[in-house]
Amino acid sequence: MPDSIVIIPTYNEKENIERMIRKVFSLPHDFHVLVIDDGSPDGTQNIVKQLQNEYTGRLFIEERAGKQGLGTAYIHGFKWAIARQYDYIFEMDADFSHNPDDLLKLYEACTQGADAAIGSRYINGVNVVNWPMSRVLMSYFASVYVRFITGIDIQDATAGFMCYKRKVLETINLDKVKFVGYAFQIEMKYTTIKHGFKLVEVPIIFTDRTLGTSKMSTSIFREAFFGVIQMRINAIFRKYPEG
């Protein structure tokens, strides 16, 4: 059994999901893929099920009823992957904003000493393609805000392209992870660091989707803004066991 699984949450990604799955399976490392679909009305899940006939024992799908949030999708996937003893557990978007080739960079970082690796847009300047300037500034300064409030030295705190070693996700109490949008990504990084794990940033180029529709909303940004403050206050009263 391979040591790596890529978790891809989906909601209405029929334009991207087949190309993404085929690309991941073409890489020179034996990745498995787990799709977490939240009842896509466009039939995304049916495309995945058809591909399972071609990628037997390598491609998996978990179907959930309705949109329940990105964070809950990843928590579901983490628990699924932990139960099956994958050593390296990846987060990746379905829309090609994350380049699948960079999975290899994240894997290498975790095999060379990191406990978790971030595909970082901001570790070497600003590496974002096809975003309007307003979106770039909002994302960049969100990470500045997170560093200021929490004190963690992460340049891309909202990044959703990640690799975790299994021991990290086994140590974190996943049932206590509260947030579902941008704040979920921040909370996971913050909690990883607070548990004493080594988190490194790997430079990537982020390219905004060209097919399908973005799931971003003002409520997700609002959750992140206020969630960071709440997370910092909660940490004052919480003990984190060392990893």
Side-chain angles (χ1 to χ4, degrees), residues 57-116:
R58 301 177 66 195
L59 174 61
F60 308 93
I61 183 168
E62 290 282 288
E63 297 180 76
R64 308 194 307 166
K67 294 182 70 174
Q68 299 179 44
L70 182 71
T72 66
Y74 275 127
I75 295 298
H76 184 108
F78 291 161
K79 291 179 177 180
W80 189 98
I82 289 168
R84 288 157 182 80
Q85 299 288 292
Y86 289 95
D87 292 324
Y88 302 94
I89 300 168
F90 295 77
E91 299 179 3
M92 188 172 69
D93 291 347
D95 61 7
F96 284 90
S97 56
H98 302 145
N99 184 343
D101 289 330
D102 290 332
L103 288 167
L104 301 172
K105 295 181 184 178
L106 299 181
Y107 178 78
E108 181 180 16
C110 284
T111 57
Q112 293 187 356
D115 296 308

Side-chain angles (χ1 to χ4, degrees), residues 6-172:
V6 181
I7 302 172
I8 305 177
T10 55
Y11 182 79
N12 287 350
E13 292 289 356
K14 68 177 183 180
E15 296 94 347
N16 296 302
I17 193 60
E18 180 172 355
R19 290 190 304 122
M20 175 58 74
I21 288 169
R22 291 191 183 281
K23 175 59 179 176
V24 172
F25 286 139
S26 75
L27 296 173
H29 179 77
D30 191 5
F31 292 101
H32 280 183
V33 173
L34 170 63
V35 174
I36 311 287
D37 187 78
D38 275 6
S40 296
D42 73 346
T44 297
Q45 65 276 67
N46 296 326
I47 296 171
V48 177
K49 289 176 182 177
Q50 291 173 359
L51 288 170
Q52 283 184 300
N53 297 321
E54 185 174 344
Y55 298 109
T56 303
R58 301 177 66 195
L59 174 61
F60 308 93
I61 183 168
E62 290 282 288
E63 297 180 76
R64 308 194 307 166
K67 294 182 70 174
Q68 299 179 44
L70 182 71
T72 66
Y74 275 127
I75 295 298
H76 184 108
F78 291 161
K79 291 179 177 180
W80 189 98
I82 289 168
R84 288 157 182 80
Q85 299 288 292
Y86 289 95
D87 292 324
Y88 302 94
I89 300 168
F90 295 77
E91 299 179 3
M92 188 172 69
D93 291 347
D95 61 7
F96 284 90
S97 56
H98 302 145
N99 184 343
D101 289 330
D102 290 332
L103 288 167
L104 301 172
K105 295 181 184 178
L106 299 181
Y107 178 78
E108 181 180 16
C110 284
T111 57
Q112 293 187 356
D115 296 308
I118 303 170
S120 178
R121 296 163 290 188
Y122 307 128
I123 191 64
N124 288 339
V126 177
N127 292 305
V128 177
V129 178
N130 292 340
W131 261 8
M133 184 56 65
S134 60
R135 183 81 181 270
V136 173
L137 291 173
M138 184 177 293
S139 174
Y140 179 80
F141 283 106
S143 288
V144 174
Y145 169 72
V146 170
R147 292 197 299 276
F148 176 74
I149 297 295
T150 66
I152 62 173
D153 186 21
I154 298 295
Q155 299 301 310
D156 195 354
T158 62
F161 195 16
M162 295 282 302
C163 176
Y164 291 98
K165 285 185 177 177
R166 172 161 44 91
K167 67 178 182 180
V168 175
L169 300 179
E170 288 175 331
T171 302
I172 292 173

